[in-house]
Amino acid sequence: GLVVLSLITIIIFASQVAGRLDKLHRRVSSARTTLWRRCNERYEATIKHADSQSILMAELARDAGLQNMFSADHLYHESQLTRLLQAGEISVPIQAAQLRLQDSRRIYNEAVRSTLYLRSWRISRWLKLVGRATAPRYLDFDDSLLNPL
């Protein structure tokens, strides 16, 4: 009786953990899509409202992202774009796009943290509850706030 009850409890718990993991992986995917959309909004604002050097960097960042989204090369160009924007005059549309980008990256990295934490649980590893899903990775690039007008 006790063994059967323990086994049922473990099965129910594992099922709940698997469901939570699936939900977290979907959340990471959704946050990643939103982050890419926010990067594109910043590119568009930069192209419309910034100097030629910043426009060139925005185009480089966009091209790097299209080739391999959130690769080391892409993240490098994102950081360089932020630094160039910080050095120049900042328009309200660029500032707004920058704030949305910063929020999106923070939300994405929080989703990654939650997912990695649950993936690290023994029951997740022992019962291979993550399936074939690859472990998400944090995205780190300079998206610090720009100086206000």
Side-chain angles (χ1 to χ4, degrees):
L2 186 59
V3 172
V4 172
L5 182 61
S6 297
L7 190 58
I8 290 172
T9 303
I10 290 171
I11 290 170
I12 290 171
F13 182 67
S15 174
Q16 290 175 342
V17 171
R20 179 73 180 139
L21 273 168
D22 186 52
K23 184 177 178 181
L24 285 170
H25 278 282
R26 285 194 312 268
R27 188 171 135 206
V28 167
S29 178
S30 175
R32 182 181 172 96
T33 301
T34 301
L35 182 57
W36 176 240
R37 188 174 35 233
R38 297 299 181 233
C39 287
N40 280 295
E41 288 174 7
R42 184 170 76 156
Y43 305 149
E44 291 170 13
T46 300
I47 289 168
K48 290 179 184 174
H49 302 286
D51 60 67
S52 60
Q53 192 176 12
S54 296
I55 291 170
L56 178 61
M57 187 55 67
E59 290 170 348
L60 287 172
R62 181 181 51 209
D63 291 346
L66 289 171
Q67 286 179 1
N68 191 356
M69 186 173 28
F70 303 124
S71 65
D73 188 46
H74 178 220
L75 297 179
Y76 169 79
H77 285 95
E78 289 291 343
S79 295
Q80 290 301 105
L81 176 57
T82 298
R83 291 180 188 113
L84 281 173
L85 291 172
Q86 287 173 332
E89 288 286 321
I90 307 302
S91 69
V92 172
I94 293 174
Q95 183 75 23
Q98 185 71 21
L99 286 170
R100 288 190 299 273
L101 175 63
Q102 187 179 47
D103 287 342
S104 292
R105 189 177 70 86
R106 181 185 48 77
I107 289 166
Y108 171 82
N109 282 335
E110 286 174 4
V112 168
R113 180 190 50 76
S114 297
T115 304
L116 292 176
Y117 174 71
L118 196 55
R119 286 175 68 108
S120 73
W121 286 12
R122 283 188 188 129
I123 193 165
S124 298
R125 293 189 321 266
W126 290 347
L127 299 180
K128 301 185 187 310
L129 298 179
V130 296
R132 293 188 177 135
T134 58
R137 64 182 178 93
Y138 291 103
L139 295 178
D140 188 28
F141 60 92
D142 185 3
D143 64 354
S144 54
L145 288 175
L146 304 175
N147 297 324
L149 293 173

